[in-house]
Amino acid sequence: METRDEELRSPLLLASLGNHVAAARVLVEAGADPNAQDRRHDSAWLVTGVTGSVDMMRTLLPAGPDTTLRNRFGGISLIPASEHGHVAYVRAVLRETDIHVDHVNDLGWTALLEAVILGDGGRPHQEVVELLLAAGADPDLADADGVAPLRHAERRGFDAIAALLKAKAR
């Protein structure tokens, strides 16, 4: 059994939160669980999507993280990474894992929708949208209210993202 703090955070989760890659490597080699979740449903693996740390993501891969593990919003690591515009992370996690590009969280949003709805429309979010589409993200997969990513992009005035979505729409 791993030691946990009062919030049920494991040493590996704390290392991931602080991007302490060397410490995480030692913990992974000792058998630490990258999927151990705390009270907020965060895990070392899920946190890599929030921080965007490719080094930490790769450090955790040998421990066999569950890419379907859900955070408190029902999302997988790809979703917050897309929201935050973590281009290098999105590229790496799509190439190096079997993560599901069209996973829908409890809000009814995919990584593509989060990049559009919660992004700022700038170059990093444009690149994230490009990567998601290249990985097979469905540009027509609407949110829980039936609004597709293209409509969100147009409403927000994200012309470059709208153009990317139009090129892939069916």
Side-chain angles (χ1 to χ4, degrees):
M1 174 67 86
E2 290 186 350
T3 302
R4 305 278 191 112
D5 69 9
E6 65 280 352
E7 296 301 319
L8 300 181
R9 295 174 298 194
S10 69
L12 186 57
L13 172 54
L14 293 170
S16 188
L17 282 166
N19 201 33
H20 301 294
V21 175
R25 188 170 295 113
V26 169
L27 291 165
V28 165
E29 289 171 1
D33 181 2
N35 303 313
Q37 291 181 287
D38 67 3
R39 289 191 200 283
R40 293 174 32 131
H41 300 282
D42 285 332
S43 73
W45 176 253
L46 288 168
V47 165
T48 64
V50 176
T51 65
S53 175
V54 174
D55 289 340
M56 185 61 71
M57 180 205 79
R58 288 182 176 143
T59 298
L60 297 177
L61 285 177
D66 178 357
T67 61
T68 67
L69 190 65
R70 296 167 169 241
N71 62 23
R72 65 189 169 280
F73 303 110
I76 57 175
S77 69
L78 180 63
I79 293 178
S82 298
E83 169 193 343
H84 295 297
H86 294 315
V87 176
Y89 182 91
V90 171
R91 180 180 295 112
V93 81
L94 288 171
R95 284 184 184 166
E96 300 173 32
T97 74
D98 63 349
I99 203 152
H100 180 53
V101 71
D102 280 331
H103 173 84
V104 178
N105 68 14
D106 294 344
L107 302 171
W109 296 350
T110 62
L112 183 59
L113 281 162
E114 289 232 0
V116 176
I117 295 169
L118 299 177
D120 64 7
R123 189 62 197 143
H125 287 98
Q126 293 168 30
E127 289 182 48
V128 165
V129 168
E130 290 171 346
L131 290 165
L132 293 170
L133 291 171
D138 183 349
D140 300 314
L141 190 57
D143 65 19
D145 295 321
V147 181
L150 175 58
R151 180 89 173 125
H152 281 290
E154 290 171 339
R155 283 181 181 169
R156 300 206 59 213
F158 295 165
D159 297 337
I161 291 176
L164 292 167
L165 293 166
K166 283 179 189 174
K168 289 284 186 174
R170 291 175 208 146

